[in-house]
Amino acid sequence: MRIIMVGQGAFGQKHLDAIAKIAGIEVVSLCGGSPDSTRDVAKARGIPHWTTDLAESLRQPGVEAAIIASPTPLHAAQGIQCLEAGKHVHIEIPIADNLQDALRLDKVQQKTGLIAMAGHTRRFNPSHQWIHKRIKAGELKVQQMDVQTYFFRRTNMNAIGQPRSWTDHLLWHHAAHTVDLFQYQTGETISQVQAMQGPKHPALGIAMDMSIGLKVPSGALCTLSLSFNNDGPLGTFFRYICDNGTYIARYDDLFDGKDQKIDVSKVDVSMNGIELQDREFFAAIKEKREPNASVAQILGTMRALDRLEKCLG
């Protein structure tokens, strides 16, 4: 399968690392935002063609699909461009930074009938898969999820320490992971939301701290704390309080309530969530089926984020 990668930054490179482990996939073009860095990444990865023009990448012979890992404000428009060019598309989280663009993207997907998938990695991390499989088997039911998403980002740098050309966002990007996972694990649509945010950074123009509360009709709760001000252990940490046990997920590691580690190494073919979501995308194309985390499936998340944004004022 011949594909293109859109985005030469931190997450574009994470996807390239993942694809290198998947047989039968060839990245034939890299489309980036900066000529110098795009050229350098393409050369280092052995990608035969690079450009800053997405249309040029899409015109490369035999291209079937695109993975979009460009700046968030470009996601929806580039996703629509790929679909209208007849290519399947996998868009990194978030698919858009507002509900209206997400709905536009979904409408184009329905019109074309092509696969459009969102990069909601938490659905694929083995630790969360382990929980999900037990829920589906009737062994667990979520009563509450307590989640902490903490970074130290007082300057506009990306995950590999390079300057960003855009500004990240706690709500539309980082909260989207947990909002989607809460609905996915409970199997319900969020019925109540509440949110507060702290002061905005004078240079970045975004709130650096945020508190979110969610509830589904069964009564299960989710409490999410987010910060770009946290100068300490970084990342996202999940506590699942269930009717039959408590579980703590720390990235790829899972522990029970007594801090005993649970082996999740055999849950899937890899421990890399990005590799697993890419595998799902390619498998859905080959099998002509809807993927897990399709754009249609995560519209409920986008609607909840829109409601949360209105709470923030």
Side-chain angles (χ1 to χ4, degrees):
M1 186 186 300
R2 294 165 66 86
I3 74 163
I4 65 171
M5 178 63 62
V6 185
Q8 84 285 10
F11 266 80
Q13 294 182 48
K14 287 178 183 290
H15 280 283
L16 291 172
D17 289 340
I19 292 166
K21 301 175 182 178
I22 304 173
I25 307 299
E26 181 185 3
V27 181
V28 299
S29 180
L30 174 66
C31 176
S34 161
D36 290 344
S37 59
T38 304
R39 179 198 61 224
D40 291 346
V41 171
K43 182 177 179 181
R45 302 281 181 158
I47 299 171
H49 176 269
W50 69 268
T51 181
T52 58
D53 180 3
L54 178 54
E56 184 180 332
S57 279
L58 292 168
R59 287 195 299 266
Q60 296 306 298
V63 170
E64 292 184 53
I67 294 179
I68 295 177
S70 58
T72 290
L74 303 177
H75 285 184
Q78 288 184 333
I80 288 170
Q81 185 177 351
C82 291
L83 290 169
E84 290 181 337
K87 316 302 180 185
H88 305 288
V89 67
H90 176 22
I91 308 170
E92 253 307 330
I93 189 172
I95 59 168
D97 55 9
N98 62 80
L99 176 59
Q100 291 71 31
D101 283 348
L103 293 173
R104 286 176 52 235
L105 178 66
D106 179 62
K107 186 175 181 179
V108 176
Q109 185 281 322
Q110 291 182 50
K111 180 180 177 181
T112 63
L114 295 164
I115 287 168
M117 179 177 166
H120 284 234
T121 317
R122 297 291 178 263
R123 293 188 180 209
F124 299 93
N125 291 129
S127 53
H128 299 295
Q129 279 202 56
W130 188 93
I131 297 287
H132 191 72
K133 289 176 187 291
R134 292 197 65 189
I135 291 170
K136 296 295 285 185
E139 300 170 8
L140 287 180
K141 184 176 181 181
V142 174
Q143 294 175 317
Q144 184 173 181
M145 286 172 59
D146 289 325
V147 186
Q148 299 172 327
T149 294
Y150 293 155
F151 301 99
F152 190 62
R153 291 188 181 168
R154 293 179 181 171
T155 57
N156 210 6
M157 308 293 282
N158 68 15
I160 56 176
Q162 297 174 338
R164 272 200 172 103
S165 62
W166 55 287
T167 304
D168 202 1
H169 200 279
L170 286 175
L171 178 65
W172 287 98
H173 177 190
H174 297 287
H177 282 290
T178 297
V179 172
D180 182 69
L181 187 65
F182 181 51
Q183 293 189 126
Y184 183 63
Q185 300 292 46
T186 60
E188 298 181 69
T189 299
I190 290 167
S191 53
Q192 291 179 239
V193 304
Q194 60 185 27
M196 296 183 293
Q197 64 184 8
K200 291 186 177 180
H201 190 280
L204 297 177
I206 58 170
M208 301 290 283
D209 295 277
M210 195 171 291
S211 175
I212 288 173
L214 308 167
K215 186 176 182 178
V216 292
S218 67
L221 302 175
C222 178
T223 302
L224 170 61
S225 171
L226 307 105
S227 181
F228 281 153
N229 273 323
N230 176 66
D231 190 8
L234 307 179
T236 301
F237 310 100
F238 299 82
R239 179 182 293 269
Y240 288 93
I241 301 172
C242 303
D243 60 343
N244 188 23
T246 293
Y247 301 92
I248 301 165
R250 304 179 182 126
Y251 278 97
D252 295 325
D253 294 325
L254 185 66
F255 301 83
D256 66 17
K258 297 177 176 59
D259 211 32
Q260 300 297 308
K261 190 171 183 179
I262 296 169
D263 182 10
V264 295
S265 63
K266 303 296 190 294
V267 169
D268 213 323
V269 298
S270 170
M271 289 289 290
N272 183 332
I274 293 176
E275 176 188 339
L276 294 174
Q277 74 183 38
D278 288 349
R279 286 182 180 274
E280 170 68 2
F281 177 53
F282 302 137
I285 293 171
K286 292 176 181 178
E287 297 164 12
K288 296 180 172 59
R289 61 170 173 82
E290 182 181 9
N292 185 8
S294 68
V295 164
Q297 290 174 15
I298 61 90
L299 286 181
T301 295
M302 303 303 287
R303 291 188 175 97
L305 293 171
D306 183 67
R307 292 171 65 193
L308 287 164
E309 185 172 62
K310 290 179 171 63
C311 291
L312 296 173

